[in-house]
Amino acid sequence: MNIDELKNTWSEDVSSEIPEISIENKNKINLPLERMRKNMRMEFFSTIGIFIFGFAIVWLCGAPFKFKFYLTILLASMVLVTFFFFSKFFRLYKDISDPVLKTYEGLKDLLYQFNLNKQYYLSFYLTFVPFLVCEIIIVIEFIPRPVPLGDSTIAIVLIGSVSFGLVLLYFLGNWWFSKLYGKYITRVENLIIEFKK
């Protein structure tokens, strides 16, 4: 190979060698991606609505100020945790509409991000277990009872709540993720396998 051929080879655009996905296949893949974006928007706005409703309930109930204050701090902490995880989900939301998805490699990278975000999603649900425990402690401490609860009863309630809460939130997170996103991720996986052939 002479020096001119080497220069020509070097100056060629490497990205032109990456095969692009045809228009027909882009249309097939845009449908599940757009459904996922729609579900992400719905989930974001419904979460905001739930927090607004939660703050309103706390401050409109006729409980003592200390009870309202503790629950407000707890809800504000939940908002911060939710904001952290939603910032991760928002990055995926932007990547779904990215025009780089016109290549097979771009789709494979998106699939990797889906799997990573599934882990974020489950972590998001599991981070609410400590908040559940705090809510139970606040309720136990502030609800008046004719006979106070014994130490063993409080311990059983808290340990049972943590155990039940972990299992419930894990399965709820898995179920909710598969309902909103799982079937569309499976469609994208199948399309990627189909494109590869």
Side-chain angles (χ1 to χ4, degrees):
M1 180 184 283
N2 64 30
I3 197 79
D4 291 330
E5 288 176 13
L6 187 60
K7 282 181 186 178
N8 288 339
T9 305
W10 184 263
S11 64
E12 285 179 7
D13 187 14
V14 177
S15 64
S16 65
E17 296 175 11
I18 299 173
E20 286 196 11
I21 296 172
S22 70
I23 299 290
E24 178 188 332
N25 289 335
K26 279 183 193 176
N27 291 337
K28 280 184 192 175
I29 207 150
N30 278 339
L31 180 63
L33 293 179
E34 190 50 44
R35 292 292 302 167
M36 289 176 71
R37 283 174 55 86
K38 182 180 177 187
N39 287 343
M40 290 170 105
R41 284 190 300 267
M42 179 270 307
E43 190 169 21
F44 175 74
F45 289 118
S46 62
T47 302
I48 290 173
I50 288 169
F51 278 121
I52 291 171
F53 180 73
F55 280 113
I57 290 293
V58 167
W59 284 99
L60 292 177
C61 72
F65 173 78
K66 219 175 186 181
F67 179 77
K68 292 179 180 180
F69 180 71
Y70 289 158
L71 284 181
T72 302
I73 295 295
L74 198 59
L75 279 172
S77 302
M78 291 168 80
V79 167
L80 288 175
V81 168
T82 303
F83 176 76
F84 169 76
F85 281 103
F86 270 30
S87 68
K88 303 286 184 197
F89 300 146
F90 183 68
R91 191 173 309 140
L92 176 64
Y93 180 84
K94 285 188 344 188
D95 287 346
I96 288 175
S97 62
D98 194 0
V100 175
L101 294 179
K102 61 185 176 184
T103 65
Y104 175 73
E105 291 302 318
L107 284 176
K108 277 179 43 180
D109 181 53
L110 184 66
L111 200 55
Y112 171 76
Q113 289 184 49
F114 286 151
N115 290 326
L116 183 63
N117 273 278
K118 181 177 182 180
Q119 300 308 314
Y120 284 143
Y121 207 84
L122 291 176
S123 301
F124 171 66
Y125 274 90
L126 292 178
T127 54
F128 282 92
V129 171
F131 295 115
L132 175 69
V133 171
C134 291
E135 287 172 12
I136 291 170
I137 290 171
I138 291 170
V139 166
I140 288 173
E141 290 297 318
F142 282 96
I143 289 186
R145 301 180 194 293
V147 178
L149 295 175
D151 292 341
S152 59
T153 307
I154 292 173
I156 289 169
V157 167
L158 285 176
I159 292 169
S161 300
V162 169
S163 304
F164 180 72
L166 271 170
V167 171
L168 179 68
L169 288 172
Y170 176 79
F171 285 111
L172 180 68
N174 258 332
W175 174 77
W176 192 245
F177 185 84
S178 66
K179 183 178 188 314
L180 286 182
Y181 309 109
K183 58 186 173 185
Y184 302 115
I185 292 173
T186 304
R187 267 194 227 166
V188 172
E189 285 174 342
N190 292 338
L191 287 170
I192 288 174
I193 291 168
E194 184 183 317
F195 297 160
K196 193 175 180 181
K197 292 177 181 176

